[in-house]
Structure formats: structure tokens, C-alpha cells
Amino acid sequence: MKRFFIATLLLAGGSAHASTPEQRGLQVFRQVCSSCHSLNYVTYSDLTGLGISVPDIKSYASQHQVPDGLDEDGDPKTRPAHPSDHIGSPYPSESMARMANHGGLPPDFSRLALTQEGGPQRIIHILKSYTAPPAGTTLPPGAFYNTAMPHLHIAMPQPLHDGQVKYADGTTATISQMANDVTAFLNWTARPHLQARHRTGIFVLAYLAGLAVLLGILKHRVWKRLKSPE
């Protein structure tokens, strides 16, 4: 978790002009959150839904290794990720993830905006509620003071700091701004195909409406013939 304090992944090859909260949130995820947290149910190609270009997605994917069976000696081997691969975890296994985080397992971010009680606003509240503990406060080992939590502490160290990210579109990266942006991104990852489903739904409704009109015209003509005297 200490790696939260270091921007370990540069946005080289990322969107050149991030301009939406979701695009800026992707930048925060890549440079801050992805060192510990996974996106096990989102593929690199899904990022086209954010307006990220295919070449940028291929570049992003190629920076990561994914399992690729066994080599001739029976040892696991890897390959650069393809756009069709899931973004996945920064750790090769759950045990490695726990080992790197004092026994805790960083939650997967794919559906966090849906599964977190309180939804996106709760995530924002947690990210913005780190502060120095009052004098005399004793925290459990490995815990960090956070006023949003029921017991006023959390196992995750403060991930966001003012100026930590340099946004490609020039937006000032305050803690509040980054919290809002990364939460917008997480809200999108929870439903990455929502806009596509909406477009499909509109097309289907338009098709059914057109079909209903044609059937109405056909019915009118058929009954007109039947009612007309021979």
C-alpha cells in the first residue's frame, strides 16, 4: 500500500487530451490506484467507451503482462496484454496481494461503485476524509485516521495528495478534484457498456415503432379490401 504515495505508472500512451471526469479518473487510477487495486471485469478495449483511441489502448495494454500458459519446461510464462484482455490485478495471485498489504486484500474496483454501501458519494467521502488524528488518539497497527469510517480508521493509507497527478487537460489536481474524477471513472467501470445498451435500446424502440406503423398500414389496407363491395 505504500506505493500509493508514488505515481508508479506514467500515462505515456494515454489519452492526449483528457477532458471528461471519467478520462481524468482513468489517469488517477493508472497513476495512483492501479499499483494495488484491480479491474478484473473491465477489458482494455472497454476503454473505447471513454473516448480513448485504439492505439492508446493498445499502448496501455502492452505495458502489462498476462499469463500465457506454460513454457517447454513447465514454468508459467507471460505475454504483453491485448486490448481484449481484462485489466486485472497488479499482483500475480491473491496471496501475493495479501503479502504486499499486511494481510489485507485490496478490493477490486470493477463494481465498487455498485457494491460500496452509499455508492459513489460514499467513495468520495472516504477519499476526502483523511486527516491527522487528534492528540492522544491511538490507532491500531497499520491503520490510518479517517473521519468517514465508523471506527475513524481505515487500513488504506491516504492515496491522494494535492498536485500528485498532472492532468493532461490542465485541470488542477486537488484532492477533491481527483476524488471526484476517480469516482466518476469507477462509476463508469461498474457499467462500462451502459451507453452501448442505451443506444441499442433506442435502436430497438425505433425499429419496433417503425414496424408498428408498417403493420398498421398493412392492416388498414387488408381490412379496407375486405370491407369493400365486390
Side-chain angles (χ1 to χ4, degrees):
M1 297 295 284
K2 292 182 179 179
R3 285 179 293 175
F4 265 111
F5 296 101
I6 304 174
T8 57
L9 296 177
L10 299 178
L11 195 61
S15 177
H17 300 287
S19 59
T20 68
E22 292 81 5
Q23 289 173 336
R24 291 193 298 269
L26 170 61
Q27 187 173 347
V28 175
F29 173 80
R30 290 184 62 177
Q31 295 186 234
V32 182
C33 311
S34 65
S35 60
C36 291
H37 294 277
S38 59
L39 285 176
N40 289 328
Y41 302 100
V42 180
T43 66
Y44 293 97
S45 60
D46 285 335
L47 298 176
T48 56
L50 294 181
I52 309 300
S53 69
V54 173
D56 287 346
I57 289 173
K58 288 182 177 180
S59 175
Y60 178 27
S62 68
Q63 298 171 29
H64 302 85
Q65 296 288 316
V66 297
D68 189 32
L70 303 176
D71 61 19
E72 295 179 353
D73 297 322
D75 297 322
K77 63 178 181 177
T78 62
R79 59 166 174 79
H82 299 152
S84 59
D85 290 316
H86 288 89
I87 295 175
S89 171
Y91 303 104
S93 66
E94 179 179 323
S95 60
M96 291 293 292
R98 290 186 181 278
M99 187 181 301
N101 293 279
H102 309 290
L105 182 65
D108 178 68
F109 272 4
S110 303
R111 304 291 185 262
L112 188 65
L114 292 177
T115 59
Q116 171 66 55
E117 184 177 356
Q121 290 304 314
R122 174 64 175 166
I123 297 173
I124 293 173
H125 185 39
I126 292 173
L127 290 174
K128 294 166 64 174
S129 296
Y130 286 90
T131 186
T137 299
T138 301
L139 297 174
F144 301 85
Y145 194 74
N146 188 300
T147 58
M149 305 307 292
H151 300 291
L152 301 179
H153 59 79
I154 187 173
M156 179 176 68
Q158 182 174 354
L160 302 177
H161 305 271
D162 288 332
Q164 183 177 7
V165 171
K166 185 174 182 179
Y167 280 132
D169 65 355
T171 300
T172 302
T174 62
I175 291 176
S176 179
Q177 181 69 58
M178 289 185 288
N180 289 332
D181 290 341
V182 76
T183 301
F185 172 68
L186 296 182
N187 195 41
W188 174 83
T189 65
R191 312 171 185 85
H193 307 124
L194 183 61
Q195 291 185 353
R197 290 198 295 268
H198 284 172
R199 289 192 295 268
T200 301
I202 292 173
F203 173 80
V204 170
L205 289 175
Y207 172 81
L208 292 176
L211 182 62
V213 171
L214 292 176
L215 290 175
I217 295 173
L218 179 61
K219 177 182 177 182
H220 176 73
R221 289 183 176 181
V222 170
W223 280 102
K224 184 177 181 180
R225 289 179 183 179
L226 292 175
K227 291 181 180 180
S228 61
E230 297 183 357

